[in-house]
Amino acid sequence: MNPRRPVTALYPGSFDPVTLGHEDIARRTLRVADRVVVGVAHTATQAKRPAFSMADRLEMLEEVFADDDRITCVSFRGLLVNFAREIGADVVVRGLRAVSDFEYEFQMAQMNREMDPEMEFIFLTPDAHLSFLSASLVREVARLGGDVSPFVSPPVLNRLTERFREQVEGD
Ligand code: PNS
């Protein structure tokens, strides 16, 4: 017998907040990897002020993936390639929703490869009914009082409702 070494995938992002699209990608990753580390980056390439603190984003991720101990959630500082090496990731996973994602993803993958030629990147597509979904659209719809329950899990929905109720009251 030749027991195979377990494959670790790193799924990095901002997850501000985690959507059903992110969940779908993380769970799909388990079809090609034995464990998934969801890595929440302190530094996002498309710099934007996050709606949720790092602690909140991590808490939501942990609640959403509480049912599967093959998925762990951590934050990381600095370069993705360094963090990937640190945790012994075999592969970095990103979701590709549409052609419009391609340019940004391709640029990042190529830059990361310049920094670490050993690191492999794979791109997974979400289920078709989630292919239009983005955390920024979910935030905007929630902020304006729209119903985002079809797009996020219940723990995230609760946080969004709380977060934007506070904001409206604070306005
Ligand atoms: O969900 P996002 O915001 O599209 O994720 C982007 C993320 C976090 C994967 C990217 O910004 C990243 O890798 N940040 C860590 C810092 C880094 O390595 N930057 C160089 C990227 S080529």
Side-chain angles (χ1 to χ4, degrees):
M1 229 171 73
N2 180 15
R4 175 173 73 78
R5 189 175 63 82
V7 173
T8 299
L10 168 61
Y11 177 32
S14 302
F15 305 105
D16 185 34
V18 55
T19 67
L20 291 186
H22 296 129
E23 281 186 47
D24 186 51
I25 295 294
R27 294 185 198 280
R28 270 172 204 282
T29 302
L30 288 169
R31 294 181 180 171
V32 293
D34 300 288
R35 57 187 284 261
V36 178
V37 178
V38 178
V40 190
H42 277 274
T43 309
T45 304
Q46 290 181 332
K48 41 203 167 184
R49 206 172 143 256
F52 290 96
S53 68
M54 177 57 79
D56 281 346
R57 283 181 278 160
L58 270 176
E59 245 175 65
M60 285 185 270
L61 282 162
E62 276 158 9
E63 285 171 43
V64 156
F65 293 122
D67 62 317
D68 197 327
D69 60 10
R70 295 170 299 172
I71 303 179
T72 51
C73 309
V74 288
S75 65
F76 71 96
R77 290 184 187 278
L79 287 172
L80 169 70
V81 287
N82 291 345
F83 179 63
R85 231 179 277 132
E86 216 175 277
I87 63 166
D90 299 285
V91 67
V92 174
V93 175
R94 291 279 290 170
L96 259 193
R97 291 163 301 186
V99 179
S100 50
D101 280 345
F102 179 78
E103 199 174 326
Y104 167 54
E105 294 301 332
F106 187 71
Q107 267 187 320
M108 283 201 300
Q110 294 303 102
M111 178 59 92
N112 282 322
R113 179 167 287 161
E114 286 295 316
M115 292 186 280
D116 185 352
E118 296 300 307
M119 185 55 58
E120 284 308 333
F121 293 82
I122 60 170
F123 299 91
L124 299 180
T125 53
D127 194 279
H129 83 282
L130 299 169
S131 60
F132 64 94
L133 202 52
S134 71
S136 55
L137 275 185
V138 165
R139 285 196 309 270
E140 184 174 327
V141 172
R143 184 179 293 125
L144 298 174
D147 176 17
V148 291
S149 59
F151 315 127
V152 295
S153 280
V156 181
L157 184 64
N158 293 341
R159 295 299 177 100
L160 276 165
T161 311
E162 242 173 67
R163 172 78 181 72
F164 292 118
R165 189 191 304 122
E166 277 166 21
Q167 184 166 312
V168 169
E169 282 168 1
D171 278 347

PDB file of all heavy atoms in Angstrom, residues 88-119:
ATOM      1  N   GLY A  88       2.212  25.039   4.887  1.00  0.00           N
ATOM      2  CA  GLY A  88       2.446  23.833   4.081  1.00  0.00           C
ATOM      3  C   GLY A  88       1.344  23.569   3.069  1.00  0.00           C
ATOM      4  O   GLY A  88       1.027  22.404   2.779  1.00  0.00           O
ATOM      5  N   ALA A  89       0.765  24.650   2.515  1.00  0.00           N
ATOM      6  CA  ALA A  89      -0.306  24.463   1.517  1.00  0.00           C
ATOM      7  C   ALA A  89       0.274  23.886   0.228  1.00  0.00           C
ATOM      8  O   ALA A  89       1.342  24.301  -0.224  1.00  0.00           O
ATOM      9  CB  ALA A  89      -0.991  25.799   1.236  1.00  0.00           C
ATOM     10  N   ASP A  90      -0.421  22.930  -0.342  1.00  0.00           N
ATOM     11  CA  ASP A  90       0.001  22.346  -1.624  1.00  0.00           C
ATOM     12  C   ASP A  90      -0.527  23.171  -2.778  1.00  0.00           C
ATOM     13  O   ASP A  90       0.017  23.147  -3.876  1.00  0.00           O
ATOM     14  CB  ASP A  90      -0.545  20.921  -1.749  1.00  0.00           C
ATOM     15  CG  ASP A  90      -0.021  20.037  -0.638  1.00  0.00           C
ATOM     16  OD1 ASP A  90       1.159  19.663  -0.720  1.00  0.00           O
ATOM     17  OD2 ASP A  90      -0.764  19.756   0.325  1.00  0.00           O
ATOM     18  N   VAL A  91      -1.634  23.857  -2.534  1.00  0.00           N
ATOM     19  CA  VAL A  91      -2.283  24.567  -3.622  1.00  0.00           C
ATOM     20  C   VAL A  91      -3.074  25.740  -3.045  1.00  0.00           C
ATOM     21  O   VAL A  91      -3.530  25.699  -1.900  1.00  0.00           O
ATOM     22  CB  VAL A  91      -3.189  23.567  -4.405  1.00  0.00           C
ATOM     23  CG1 VAL A  91      -4.348  23.082  -3.578  1.00  0.00           C
ATOM     24  CG2 VAL A  91      -3.678  24.135  -5.699  1.00  0.00           C
ATOM     25  N   VAL A  92      -3.167  26.804  -3.860  1.00  0.00           N
ATOM     26  CA  VAL A  92      -4.005  27.955  -3.476  1.00  0.00           C
ATOM     27  C   VAL A  92      -5.224  27.945  -4.392  1.00  0.00           C
ATOM     28  O   VAL A  92      -5.099  27.758  -5.608  1.00  0.00           O
ATOM     29  CB  VAL A  92      -3.232  29.286  -3.631  1.00  0.00           C
ATOM     30  CG1 VAL A  92      -4.149  30.480  -3.372  1.00  0.00           C
ATOM     31  CG2 VAL A  92      -2.034  29.322  -2.680  1.00  0.00           C
ATOM     32  N   VAL A  93      -6.391  28.104  -3.791  1.00  0.00           N
ATOM     33  CA  VAL A  93      -7.650  28.030  -4.551  1.00  0.00           C
ATOM     34  C   VAL A  93      -8.307  29.395  -4.610  1.00  0.00           C
ATOM     35  O   VAL A  93      -8.355  30.109  -3.597  1.00  0.00           O
ATOM     36  CB  VAL A  93      -8.647  27.077  -3.844  1.00  0.00           C
ATOM     37  CG1 VAL A  93      -9.996  27.066  -4.547  1.00  0.00           C
ATOM     38  CG2 VAL A  93      -8.079  25.685  -3.788  1.00  0.00           C
ATOM     39  N   ARG A  94      -8.814  29.748  -5.775  1.00  0.00           N
ATOM     40  CA  ARG A  94      -9.628  30.961  -5.889  1.00  0.00           C
ATOM     41  C   ARG A  94     -10.867  30.622  -6.718  1.00  0.00           C
ATOM     42  O   ARG A  94     -10.840  29.733  -7.561  1.00  0.00           O
ATOM     43  CB  ARG A  94      -8.827  32.066  -6.578  1.00  0.00           C
ATOM     44  CG  ARG A  94      -7.674  32.600  -5.743  1.00  0.00           C
ATOM     45  CD  ARG A  94      -8.105  33.608  -4.717  1.00  0.00           C
ATOM     46  NE  ARG A  94      -8.523  34.872  -5.304  1.00  0.00           N
ATOM     47  CZ  ARG A  94      -9.127  35.836  -4.629  1.00  0.00           C
ATOM     48  NH1 ARG A  94      -9.416  35.693  -3.348  1.00  0.00           N
ATOM     49  NH2 ARG A  94      -9.480  36.962  -5.226  1.00  0.00           N
ATOM     50  N   GLY A  95     -11.941  31.358  -6.453  1.00  0.00           N
ATOM     51  CA  GLY A  95     -13.156  31.169  -7.229  1.00  0.00           C
ATOM     52  C   GLY A  95     -13.142  32.068  -8.455  1.00  0.00           C
ATOM     53  O   GLY A  95     -12.643  33.189  -8.402  1.00  0.00           O
ATOM     54  N   LEU A  96     -13.661  31.555  -9.555  1.00  0.00           N
ATOM     55  CA  LEU A  96     -13.798  32.356 -10.793  1.00  0.00           C
ATOM     56  C   LEU A  96     -15.265  32.356 -11.164  1.00  0.00           C
ATOM     57  O   LEU A  96     -15.825  31.311 -11.492  1.00  0.00           O
ATOM     58  CB  LEU A  96     -13.032  31.696 -11.935  1.00  0.00           C
ATOM     59  CG  LEU A  96     -11.673  32.201 -12.363  1.00  0.00           C
ATOM     60  CD1 LEU A  96     -11.311  31.582 -13.707  1.00  0.00           C
ATOM     61  CD2 LEU A  96     -11.550  33.704 -12.403  1.00  0.00           C
ATOM     62  N   ARG A  97     -15.884  33.542 -11.098  1.00  0.00           N
ATOM     63  CA  ARG A  97     -17.323  33.588 -11.379  1.00  0.00           C
ATOM     64  C   ARG A  97     -17.612  33.861 -12.839  1.00  0.00           C
ATOM     65  O   ARG A  97     -18.494  33.289 -13.441  1.00  0.00           O
ATOM     66  CB  ARG A  97     -17.983  34.676 -10.529  1.00  0.00           C
ATOM     67  CG  ARG A  97     -18.017  34.347  -9.066  1.00  0.00           C
ATOM     68  CD  ARG A  97     -18.275  35.571  -8.262  1.00  0.00           C
ATOM     69  NE  ARG A  97     -17.235  36.570  -8.498  1.00  0.00           N
ATOM     70  CZ  ARG A  97     -17.115  37.711  -7.858  1.00  0.00           C
ATOM     71  NH1 ARG A  97     -17.985  38.033  -6.942  1.00  0.00           N
ATOM     72  NH2 ARG A  97     -16.133  38.546  -8.122  1.00  0.00           N
ATOM     73  N   ALA A  98     -16.865  34.776 -13.409  1.00  0.00           N
ATOM     74  CA  ALA A  98     -17.156  35.197 -14.781  1.00  0.00           C
ATOM     75  C   ALA A  98     -15.859  35.649 -15.421  1.00  0.00           C
ATOM     76  O   ALA A  98     -14.833  35.783 -14.741  1.00  0.00           O
ATOM     77  CB  ALA A  98     -18.151  36.352 -14.750  1.00  0.00           C
ATOM     78  N   VAL A  99     -15.930  35.896 -16.716  1.00  0.00           N
ATOM     79  CA  VAL A  99     -14.729  36.321 -17.441  1.00  0.00           C
ATOM     80  C   VAL A  99     -14.157  37.588 -16.800  1.00  0.00           C
ATOM     81  O   VAL A  99     -12.940  37.783 -16.741  1.00  0.00           O
ATOM     82  CB  VAL A  99     -15.069  36.591 -18.922  1.00  0.00           C
ATOM     83  CG1 VAL A  99     -13.849  37.060 -19.697  1.00  0.00           C
ATOM     84  CG2 VAL A  99     -15.645  35.344 -19.543  1.00  0.00           C
ATOM     85  N   SER A 100     -15.047  38.422 -16.257  1.00  0.00           N
ATOM     86  CA  SER A 100     -14.595  39.679 -15.652  1.00  0.00           C
ATOM     87  C   SER A 100     -13.651  39.449 -14.463  1.00  0.00           C
ATOM     88  O   SER A 100     -12.848  40.310 -14.123  1.00  0.00           O
ATOM     89  CB  SER A 100     -15.793  40.519 -15.226  1.00  0.00           C
ATOM     90  OG  SER A 100     -16.662  39.715 -14.477  1.00  0.00           O
ATOM     91  N   ASP A 101     -13.722  38.309 -13.808  1.00  0.00           N
ATOM     92  CA  ASP A 101     -12.807  38.007 -12.703  1.00  0.00           C
ATOM     93  C   ASP A 101     -11.417  37.648 -13.217  1.00  0.00           C
ATOM     94  O   ASP A 101     -10.446  37.701 -12.469  1.00  0.00           O
ATOM     95  CB  ASP A 101     -13.302  36.775 -11.908  1.00  0.00           C
ATOM     96  CG  ASP A 101     -14.401  37.105 -10.933  1.00  0.00           C
ATOM     97  OD1 ASP A 101     -14.609  38.297 -10.642  1.00  0.00           O
ATOM     98  OD2 ASP A 101     -15.058  36.155 -10.460  1.00  0.00           O
ATOM     99  N   PHE A 102     -11.358  37.243 -14.466  1.00  0.00           N
ATOM    100  CA  PHE A 102     -10.155  36.583 -14.957  1.00  0.00           C
ATOM    101  C   PHE A 102      -8.911  37.463 -14.865  1.00  0.00           C
ATOM    102  O   PHE A 102      -7.849  37.039 -14.409  1.00  0.00           O
ATOM    103  CB  PHE A 102     -10.360  36.083 -16.391  1.00  0.00           C
ATOM    104  CG  PHE A 102      -9.141  35.412 -16.943  1.00  0.00           C
ATOM    105  CD1 PHE A 102      -8.823  34.113 -16.575  1.00  0.00           C
ATOM    106  CD2 PHE A 102      -8.284  36.089 -17.798  1.00  0.00           C
ATOM    107  CE1 PHE A 102      -7.678  33.498 -17.057  1.00  0.00           C
ATOM    108  CE2 PHE A 102      -7.138  35.491 -18.276  1.00  0.00           C
ATOM    109  CZ  PHE A 102      -6.837  34.191 -17.907  1.00  0.00           C
ATOM    110  N   GLU A 103      -9.048  38.728 -15.293  1.00  0.00           N
ATOM    111  CA  GLU A 103      -7.873  39.588 -15.389  1.00  0.00           C
ATOM    112  C   GLU A 103      -7.210  39.784 -14.016  1.00  0.00           C
ATOM    113  O   GLU A 103      -5.995  39.631 -13.871  1.00  0.00           O
ATOM    114  CB  GLU A 103      -8.274  40.927 -15.988  1.00  0.00           C
ATOM    115  CG  GLU A 103      -7.072  41.657 -16.533  1.00  0.00           C
ATOM    116  CD  GLU A 103      -7.476  42.916 -17.260  1.00  0.00           C
ATOM    117  OE1 GLU A 103      -8.558  42.922 -17.882  1.00  0.00           O
ATOM    118  OE2 GLU A 103      -6.710  43.882 -17.174  1.00  0.00           O
ATOM    119  N   TYR A 104      -8.040  40.100 -13.024  1.00  0.00           N
ATOM    120  CA  TYR A 104      -7.550  40.306 -11.647  1.00  0.00           C
ATOM    121  C   TYR A 104      -6.906  39.019 -11.116  1.00  0.00           C
ATOM    122  O   TYR A 104      -5.804  39.033 -10.562  1.00  0.00           O
ATOM    123  CB  TYR A 104      -8.757  40.757 -10.825  1.00  0.00           C
ATOM    124  CG  TYR A 104      -8.668  40.779  -9.324  1.00  0.00           C
ATOM    125  CD1 TYR A 104      -7.640  41.460  -8.663  1.00  0.00           C
ATOM    126  CD2 TYR A 104      -9.650  40.170  -8.532  1.00  0.00           C
ATOM    127  CE1 TYR A 104      -7.611  41.519  -7.272  1.00  0.00           C
ATOM    128  CE2 TYR A 104      -9.628  40.224  -7.145  1.00  0.00           C
ATOM    129  CZ  TYR A 104      -8.596  40.892  -6.520  1.00  0.00           C
ATOM    130  OH  TYR A 104      -8.575  40.946  -5.149  1.00  0.00           O
ATOM    131  N   GLU A 105      -7.573  37.908 -11.327  1.00  0.00           N
ATOM    132  CA  GLU A 105      -7.057  36.633 -10.813  1.00  0.00           C
ATOM    133  C   GLU A 105      -5.761  36.228 -11.518  1.00  0.00           C
ATOM    134  O   GLU A 105      -4.822  35.746 -10.886  1.00  0.00           O
ATOM    135  CB  GLU A 105      -8.106  35.519 -10.980  1.00  0.00           C
ATOM    136  CG  GLU A 105      -9.347  35.711 -10.135  1.00  0.00           C
ATOM    137  CD  GLU A 105      -9.043  35.783  -8.634  1.00  0.00           C
ATOM    138  OE1 GLU A 105      -8.050  35.187  -8.193  1.00  0.00           O
ATOM    139  OE2 GLU A 105      -9.821  36.442  -7.923  1.00  0.00           O
ATOM    140  N   PHE A 106      -5.736  36.457 -12.834  1.00  0.00           N
ATOM    141  CA  PHE A 106      -4.558  36.089 -13.624  1.00  0.00           C
ATOM    142  C   PHE A 106      -3.347  36.914 -13.177  1.00  0.00           C
ATOM    143  O   PHE A 106      -2.259  36.388 -12.965  1.00  0.00           O
ATOM    144  CB  PHE A 106      -4.863  36.310 -15.106  1.00  0.00           C
ATOM    145  CG  PHE A 106      -3.786  35.818 -16.018  1.00  0.00           C
ATOM    146  CD1 PHE A 106      -3.558  34.463 -16.193  1.00  0.00           C
ATOM    147  CD2 PHE A 106      -2.991  36.720 -16.709  1.00  0.00           C
ATOM    148  CE1 PHE A 106      -2.554  34.015 -17.049  1.00  0.00           C
ATOM    149  CE2 PHE A 106      -1.985  36.276 -17.563  1.00  0.00           C
ATOM    150  CZ  PHE A 106      -1.775  34.924 -17.728  1.00  0.00           C
ATOM    151  N   GLN A 107      -3.573  38.231 -13.007  1.00  0.00           N
ATOM    152  CA  GLN A 107      -2.485  39.114 -12.560  1.00  0.00           C
ATOM    153  C   GLN A 107      -1.947  38.661 -11.212  1.00  0.00           C
ATOM    154  O   GLN A 107      -0.730  38.570 -11.029  1.00  0.00           O
ATOM    155  CB  GLN A 107      -3.029  40.526 -12.373  1.00  0.00           C
ATOM    156  CG  GLN A 107      -2.872  41.407 -13.572  1.00  0.00           C
ATOM    157  CD  GLN A 107      -3.292  42.826 -13.215  1.00  0.00           C
ATOM    158  OE1 GLN A 107      -4.271  43.025 -12.511  1.00  0.00           O
ATOM    159  NE2 GLN A 107      -2.544  43.784 -13.716  1.00  0.00           N
ATOM    160  N   MET A 108      -2.858  38.380 -10.269  1.00  0.00           N
ATOM    161  CA  MET A 108      -2.400  37.980  -8.933  1.00  0.00           C
ATOM    162  C   MET A 108      -1.661  36.646  -8.995  1.00  0.00           C
ATOM    163  O   MET A 108      -0.611  36.485  -8.376  1.00  0.00           O
ATOM    164  CB  MET A 108      -3.577  37.878  -7.959  1.00  0.00           C
ATOM    165  CG  MET A 108      -4.066  39.217  -7.474  1.00  0.00           C
ATOM    166  SD  MET A 108      -5.005  39.101  -5.935  1.00  0.00           S
ATOM    167  CE  MET A 108      -6.339  38.041  -6.372  1.00  0.00           C
ATOM    168  N   ALA A 109      -2.214  35.706  -9.750  1.00  0.00           N
ATOM    169  CA  ALA A 109      -1.574  34.386  -9.824  1.00  0.00           C
ATOM    170  C   ALA A 109      -0.174  34.500 -10.426  1.00  0.00           C
ATOM    171  O   ALA A 109       0.780  33.876  -9.927  1.00  0.00           O
ATOM    172  CB  ALA A 109      -2.437  33.422 -10.638  1.00  0.00           C
ATOM    173  N   GLN A 110      -0.050  35.325 -11.479  1.00  0.00           N
ATOM    174  CA  GLN A 110       1.265  35.453 -12.117  1.00  0.00           C
ATOM    175  C   GLN A 110       2.266  36.131 -11.184  1.00  0.00           C
ATOM    176  O   GLN A 110       3.418  35.735 -11.112  1.00  0.00           O
ATOM    177  CB  GLN A 110       1.158  36.231 -13.438  1.00  0.00           C
ATOM    178  CG  GLN A 110       0.359  35.521 -14.518  1.00  0.00           C
ATOM    179  CD  GLN A 110       0.929  34.139 -14.846  1.00  0.00           C
ATOM    180  OE1 GLN A 110       0.403  33.119 -14.418  1.00  0.00           O
ATOM    181  NE2 GLN A 110       1.999  34.092 -15.604  1.00  0.00           N
ATOM    182  N   MET A 111       1.801  37.173 -10.480  1.00  0.00           N
ATOM    183  CA  MET A 111       2.690  37.859  -9.535  1.00  0.00           C
ATOM    184  C   MET A 111       3.105  36.904  -8.423  1.00  0.00           C
ATOM    185  O   MET A 111       4.279  36.833  -8.043  1.00  0.00           O
ATOM    186  CB  MET A 111       1.971  39.086  -8.957  1.00  0.00           C
ATOM    187  CG  MET A 111       2.769  39.841  -7.925  1.00  0.00           C
ATOM    188  SD  MET A 111       4.345  40.443  -8.568  1.00  0.00           S
ATOM    189  CE  MET A 111       3.851  42.054  -9.130  1.00  0.00           C
ATOM    190  N   ASN A 112       2.144  36.139  -7.917  1.00  0.00           N
ATOM    191  CA  ASN A 112       2.471  35.172  -6.861  1.00  0.00           C
ATOM    192  C   ASN A 112       3.454  34.125  -7.374  1.00  0.00           C
ATOM    193  O   ASN A 112       4.362  33.709  -6.663  1.00  0.00           O
ATOM    194  CB  ASN A 112       1.190  34.504  -6.349  1.00  0.00           C
ATOM    195  CG  ASN A 112       0.416  35.413  -5.407  1.00  0.00           C
ATOM    196  OD1 ASN A 112       0.999  36.138  -4.611  1.00  0.00           O
ATOM    197  ND2 ASN A 112      -0.908  35.393  -5.500  1.00  0.00           N
ATOM    198  N   ARG A 113       3.279  33.723  -8.600  1.00  0.00           N
ATOM    199  CA  ARG A 113       4.177  32.718  -9.162  1.00  0.00           C
ATOM    200  C   ARG A 113       5.598  33.259  -9.329  1.00  0.00           C
ATOM    201  O   ARG A 113       6.570  32.531  -9.166  1.00  0.00           O
ATOM    202  CB  ARG A 113       3.643  32.210 -10.502  1.00  0.00           C
ATOM    203  CG  ARG A 113       4.579  31.192 -11.107  1.00  0.00           C
ATOM    204  CD  ARG A 113       3.961  30.456 -12.233  1.00  0.00           C
ATOM    205  NE  ARG A 113       2.969  29.509 -11.757  1.00  0.00           N
ATOM    206  CZ  ARG A 113       2.016  28.996 -12.536  1.00  0.00           C
ATOM    207  NH1 ARG A 113       1.933  29.379 -13.804  1.00  0.00           N
ATOM    208  NH2 ARG A 113       1.177  28.121 -12.063  1.00  0.00           N
ATOM    209  N   GLU A 114       5.695  34.580  -9.641  1.00  0.00           N
ATOM    210  CA  GLU A 114       7.026  35.199  -9.707  1.00  0.00           C
ATOM    211  C   GLU A 114       7.715  35.077  -8.355  1.00  0.00           C
ATOM    212  O   GLU A 114       8.912  34.870  -8.260  1.00  0.00           O
ATOM    213  CB  GLU A 114       6.924  36.693 -10.057  1.00  0.00           C
ATOM    214  CG  GLU A 114       6.575  36.984 -11.501  1.00  0.00           C
ATOM    215  CD  GLU A 114       7.662  36.535 -12.455  1.00  0.00           C
ATOM    216  OE1 GLU A 114       8.848  36.775 -12.169  1.00  0.00           O
ATOM    217  OE2 GLU A 114       7.303  35.909 -13.480  1.00  0.00           O
ATOM    218  N   MET A 115       6.909  35.252  -7.281  1.00  0.00           N
ATOM    219  CA  MET A 115       7.483  35.225  -5.928  1.00  0.00           C
ATOM    220  C   MET A 115       7.728  33.803  -5.446  1.00  0.00           C
ATOM    221  O   MET A 115       8.622  33.565  -4.642  1.00  0.00           O
ATOM    222  CB  MET A 115       6.557  35.971  -4.959  1.00  0.00           C
ATOM    223  CG  MET A 115       6.496  37.455  -5.229  1.00  0.00           C
ATOM    224  SD  MET A 115       5.553  38.338  -3.972  1.00  0.00           S
ATOM    225  CE  MET A 115       3.878  38.037  -4.491  1.00  0.00           C
ATOM    226  N   ASP A 116       6.892  32.872  -5.889  1.00  0.00           N
ATOM    227  CA  ASP A 116       7.067  31.480  -5.475  1.00  0.00           C
ATOM    228  C   ASP A 116       6.699  30.537  -6.624  1.00  0.00           C
ATOM    229  O   ASP A 116       5.546  30.119  -6.763  1.00  0.00           O
ATOM    230  CB  ASP A 116       6.203  31.167  -4.252  1.00  0.00           C
ATOM    231  CG  ASP A 116       6.485  29.754  -3.738  1.00  0.00           C
ATOM    232  OD1 ASP A 116       7.221  28.998  -4.433  1.00  0.00           O
ATOM    233  OD2 ASP A 116       5.991  29.394  -2.656  1.00  0.00           O
ATOM    234  N   PRO A 117       7.700  30.189  -7.443  1.00  0.00           N
ATOM    235  CA  PRO A 117       7.435  29.340  -8.610  1.00  0.00           C
ATOM    236  C   PRO A 117       6.909  27.955  -8.241  1.00  0.00           C
ATOM    237  O   PRO A 117       6.343  27.268  -9.081  1.00  0.00           O
ATOM    238  CB  PRO A 117       8.804  29.242  -9.305  1.00  0.00           C
ATOM    239  CG  PRO A 117       9.638  30.315  -8.716  1.00  0.00           C
ATOM    240  CD  PRO A 117       9.101  30.591  -7.344  1.00  0.00           C
ATOM    241  N   GLU A 118       7.072  27.570  -6.976  1.00  0.00           N
ATOM    242  CA  GLU A 118       6.622  26.229  -6.553  1.00  0.00           C
ATOM    243  C   GLU A 118       5.132  26.177  -6.244  1.00  0.00           C
ATOM    244  O   GLU A 118       4.544  25.108  -6.166  1.00  0.00           O
ATOM    245  CB  GLU A 118       7.368  25.797  -5.274  1.00  0.00           C
ATOM    246  CG  GLU A 118       8.874  25.617  -5.452  1.00  0.00           C
ATOM    247  CD  GLU A 118       9.168  24.556  -6.498  1.00  0.00           C
ATOM    248  OE1 GLU A 118       8.631  23.452  -6.365  1.00  0.00           O
ATOM    249  OE2 GLU A 118       9.913  24.857  -7.451  1.00  0.00           O
ATOM    250  N   MET A 119       4.524  27.339  -5.999  1.00  0.00           N
ATOM    251  CA  MET A 119       3.130  27.363  -5.554  1.00  0.00           C
ATOM    252  C   MET A 119       2.179  27.181  -6.738  1.00  0.00           C
ATOM    253  O   MET A 119       2.338  27.826  -7.760  1.00  0.00           O
ATOM    254  CB  MET A 119       2.864  28.703  -4.849  1.00  0.00           C
ATOM    255  CG  MET A 119       1.496  28.847  -4.227  1.00  0.00           C
ATOM    256  SD  MET A 119       1.043  27.535  -3.061  1.00  0.00           S
ATOM    257  CE  MET A 119       2.351  27.649  -1.842  1.00  0.00           C
TER     258      MET A 119
END
